[in-house]
Amino acid sequence: MSVNKTYRAPRRNRIFRALLKPFGRGVFRLLSDVRIDGEENIPRGKPYIVAVNHVSMFDPPFVGAFWPESVEIAGASNVFDKPFEGTILKMYGVIPVHRGEFDRALLVKVVHILNSGRPLLMSPEGGRSHVTAMRRAKPGIAYIVEQTGAPVLPVGLVGTTTDFLRRVRQRPRLTLEMRIGKPIVLPRIEVKGTRRHELRQQNADLVMSHVAGLLPEEYRGAYAETAIEPSRVNSN
């Protein structure tokens, strides 16, 4: 799957992002204490996939506001129909993902983005869980890695629950955390057929096990037994 031109977001999206980032940072810092750990792990200026746990609608704007470089975002297409959220997503230039469908145009676009040297933010779970506990990942992230060879940057988000706005009035002051792990390279898949699909799922599960290792136990959900904590990675 190849493309000829270098990808660049439309000018209107770039302008909106430049305005939205400082506004988003200001709002999140006004409503909570923000903690970012592991920013030194980001391979800036290179293509990579940011893989996050996805609890609520607050996750993408939180990451986008505090990520140190512009990142393309893939999000569920059904949110685009909502009056406020949909408008923001379109103005940012979020890439709509039709869950449960094979979308070749989507895959071509995300491969184009990564092959152009730009980072991509996505949730391997395929959508928000609405609870802290992680759901099992979809194999799509593994397919994208196959096509691009891009490393995956696991990121754990803590505090961005659906009741975030209600909890900001509580004491002690609410804390939002973004825990950034080290880039991981997924094992190559050489086989075809059913076994290939199984190995893609294993690679997607591997990504989320790394994400789970960055999260508190109550967030790990489907990956509670397989969570790979940073200390375990560093000790190998």
Side-chain angles (χ1 to χ4, degrees):
M1 191 178 296
S2 61
V3 291
N4 297 321
K5 296 182 180 179
T6 299
Y7 176 84
R8 193 179 189 192
R11 184 169 181 269
R12 64 182 181 277
N13 296 144
R14 300 197 308 271
I15 293 174
F16 182 73
R17 295 175 190 184
L19 298 173
L20 185 64
K21 184 181 284 283
F23 175 78
R25 287 187 176 188
V27 170
F28 280 116
R29 283 178 171 151
L30 175 66
L31 300 178
S32 63
D33 290 329
V34 174
R35 182 179 301 166
I36 312 293
D37 295 320
E39 193 171 327
E40 69 279 2
N41 294 326
I42 300 174
R44 303 190 190 194
K46 298 180 180 179
Y48 55 89
I49 300 172
V50 183
V52 301
N53 60 306
H54 194 7
V55 177
S56 76
M57 61 176 284
F58 301 109
D59 300 323
F62 176 50
V63 176
F66 290 95
W67 205 256
E69 56 184 353
S70 180
V71 59
E72 302 301 324
I73 300 176
S77 60
N78 63 311
V79 184
F80 282 70
D81 296 329
K82 298 182 179 181
F84 178 72
E85 291 180 61
T87 299
I88 297 297
L89 297 183
K90 292 172 185 175
M91 292 178 69
Y92 184 94
V94 172
I95 305 162
V97 178
H98 299 86
R99 290 180 290 184
E101 302 177 15
F102 178 79
D103 190 337
R104 181 173 177 82
L106 165 70
L107 294 173
V108 168
K109 186 166 187 176
V110 297
V111 169
H112 189 184
I113 288 168
L114 290 162
N115 285 343
S116 296
R118 301 181 184 279
L120 172 72
L121 168 66
M122 64 180 298
S123 166
E125 293 168 274
R128 67 186 79 166
S129 62
H130 300 287
V131 295
T132 55
M134 293 169 62
R135 300 181 301 182
R136 194 176 188 195
K138 307 294 185 182
I141 188 171
Y143 178 85
I144 294 171
V145 170
E146 279 182 46
Q147 298 298 317
T148 62
V152 180
L153 199 66
V155 175
L157 304 178
V158 180
T160 53
T161 52
T162 54
D163 61 348
F164 167 68
L165 292 179
R166 180 177 61 80
R167 292 188 300 124
V168 297
R169 300 179 181 181
Q170 298 177 356
R171 293 292 182 270
R173 185 172 164 83
L174 181 65
T175 298
L176 296 185
E177 296 183 63
M178 181 161 59
R179 304 174 179 180
I180 306 169
K182 293 185 177 181
I184 58 175
V185 177
L186 298 183
R188 291 177 59 87
I189 298 177
E190 306 290 350
V191 299
K192 296 183 179 180
T194 303
R195 182 58 180 159
R196 186 170 195 169
H197 179 80
E198 293 172 352
L199 292 176
R200 282 176 179 165
Q201 183 63 58
Q202 287 184 21
N203 275 351
D205 289 335
L206 177 61
V207 169
M208 298 310 275
S209 292
H210 280 274
V211 174
L214 298 166
L215 294 168
E217 291 186 6
E218 64 270 22
Y219 275 72
R220 294 177 177 180
Y223 297 94
E225 300 298 324
T226 60
I228 302 174
E229 299 179 8
S231 58
R232 288 169 52 190
V233 176
N234 294 337
S235 63
N236 290 340

